[in-house]
């Protein structure tokens, strides 16, 4: 397989404007993500997809590869699809989150191996939930999976509901997983899913992957034991000192 890694990066984040260019111990966040992604031997090339000239110029300044994309994309998936359309030589596209400066290359490899199965259309990672805090954190989507290691549903709610048990005890009766937000797509499937209209489930949960499931696409999952540490707001930068 020929695999392309794409890092969507936009400047105008409502919760953290200019986030890709924030300095983290002497390097920008986007540079750290890029350098971590480049360490993955399974990815032939890494490209930053951005709609902002400041990010584009910065990537080029440190020797990275960047592509300017349209400024009206609704999601990182759409931005990835535009760049992927320029590179038909790639079989699989991996969408790498631009706000995880210490992403472990092993996670990218684990996702890439899902495509050793020719039936895999889309893939993502999951991690076992171990604490009550994680279980009832509505900002962290949960994943319900089937016996084929495919996602059945994603929800911000805690699913499934364990009947006749107190919520504090649910982890004793069911193995829950949270979603790790990195995706891989067959190149043709990526182009297809970005043409789908927003679905009812997607509107309800504000999770775009539900659009794909609702339209019959299958999402393979691989379990990781590695944690990710995303920077959503400026306060999250303080936590990164623990993971350098």
């Amino acid at each position: 397989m020929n695999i392309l890694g794409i890092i969507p990066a936009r400047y105008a984040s409502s919760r953290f404007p200019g986030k890709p260019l924030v300095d983290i111990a002497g390097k920008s966040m986007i540079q750290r993500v890029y350098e971590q992604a480049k360490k993955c031997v399974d990815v032939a090339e890494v490209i930053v997809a951005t709609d902002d000239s400041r990010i584009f110029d910065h990537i080029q300044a440190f020797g990275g590869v960047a592509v300017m994309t349209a400024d009206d994309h609704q999601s990182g998936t759409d931005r990835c699809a535009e760049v992927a359309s320029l590179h038909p030589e790639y079989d699989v596209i991996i969408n790498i989150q631009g706000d995880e400066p210490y992403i472990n290359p092993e996670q990218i490899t684990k996702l890439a191996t899902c495509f050793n199965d020719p039936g895999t259309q889309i893939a993502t990672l999951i991690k076992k939930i171990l604490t009550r805090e994680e279980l009832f954190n509505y900002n962290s989507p949960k994943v319900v999976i089937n016996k084929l290691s495919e996602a059945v549903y994603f929800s911000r709610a805690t699913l499934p509901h364990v009947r006749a048990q107190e919520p504090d005890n649910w982890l004793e009766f069911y193995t829950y997983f949270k979603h790790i937000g990195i995706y891989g797509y067959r190149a043709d499937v990526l182009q297809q899913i970005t043409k789908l209209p927003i679905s009812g489930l997607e509107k309800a949960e504000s999770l775009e992957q539900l659009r794909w499931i609702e339209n019959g696409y299958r999402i393979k999952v691989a379990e990781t034991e590695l944690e990710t540490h995303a920077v959503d707001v400026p306060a999250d930068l303080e936590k990164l000192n623990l993971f350098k």
Side-chain angles (χ1 to χ4, degrees):
M1 290 180 298
N2 204 14
I3 300 178
L4 173 64
I6 301 178
I7 308 171
R10 64 190 186 96
Y11 193 91
S13 168
S14 59
R15 292 189 294 176
F16 195 165
K19 180 168 65 171
L21 299 181
V22 67
D23 183 87
I24 299 174
K27 293 183 180 179
S28 68
M29 177 151 57
I30 193 64
Q31 181 174 355
R32 290 193 174 277
V33 176
Y34 186 89
E35 291 176 348
Q36 289 298 101
K38 289 287 285 185
K39 293 177 184 177
C40 180
V41 297
D42 296 280
V43 175
E45 181 60 279
V46 177
I47 298 175
V48 175
T50 185
D51 61 355
D52 191 279
S53 60
R54 288 164 289 190
I55 296 174
F56 179 87
D57 292 344
H58 174 68
I59 301 299
Q60 290 202 316
F62 70 71
V65 180
V67 171
M68 287 291 291
T69 61
D71 60 5
D72 59 351
H73 289 307
Q74 297 300 306
S75 69
T77 304
D78 296 332
R79 206 172 298 284
C80 284
E82 180 181 345
V83 174
S85 70
L86 304 174
H87 295 278
E89 68 272 24
Y90 291 101
D91 308 300
V92 171
I93 310 300
I94 294 184
N95 179 349
I96 301 164
Q97 299 298 307
D99 58 2
E100 296 177 4
Y102 298 112
I103 184 173
N104 193 315
E106 292 179 19
Q107 290 189 315
I108 303 173
T109 290
K110 183 172 283 287
L111 186 66
T113 58
C114 290
F115 292 91
N116 292 336
D117 179 350
T120 299
Q121 298 178 308
I122 305 169
T124 194
L125 297 182
I126 60 174
K127 185 178 183 296
K128 192 176 296 182
I129 293 175
L130 301 176
T131 67
R132 187 188 188 284
E133 180 182 11
E134 284 185 319
L135 186 62
F136 295 100
N137 179 0
Y138 294 121
N139 293 317
S140 178
K142 313 332 176 269
V143 191
V144 180
I145 65 174
N146 63 21
K147 292 185 177 181
L148 300 177
S149 294
E150 296 174 342
V152 174
Y153 193 71
F154 295 79
S155 181
R156 298 184 186 280
T158 304
L159 294 179
H161 178 94
V162 180
R163 187 177 179 186
Q165 295 294 332
E166 292 297 321
D168 284 347
N169 301 328
W170 282 4
L171 286 173
E172 300 175 25
F173 294 91
Y174 187 82
T175 302
Y176 289 85
F177 294 97
K178 67 178 180 178
H179 182 219
I180 303 297
I182 180 172
Y183 293 104
Y185 329 81
R186 295 280 177 198
D188 59 335
V189 170
L190 174 58
Q191 298 304 321
Q192 293 167 19
I193 62 177
T194 55
K195 294 179 174 63
L196 297 172
I198 294 175
S199 72
L201 289 177
E202 179 184 9
K203 285 182 180 179
E205 294 263 18
S206 190
L207 296 172
E208 67 172 330
Q209 59 269 40
L210 292 175
R211 183 196 319 180
W212 314 335
I213 291 176
E214 199 167 356
N215 281 276
Y217 288 89
R218 302 187 312 278
I219 303 177
K220 192 78 171 180
V221 300
E223 184 179 352
T224 178
E225 295 181 356
L226 298 172
E227 189 60 86
T228 58
H229 304 284
V231 176
D232 295 316
V233 295
D236 291 334
L237 291 171
E238 299 176 10
K239 303 175 186 177
L240 295 180
N241 292 325
L242 301 175
F243 310 113
K244 291 178 183 176

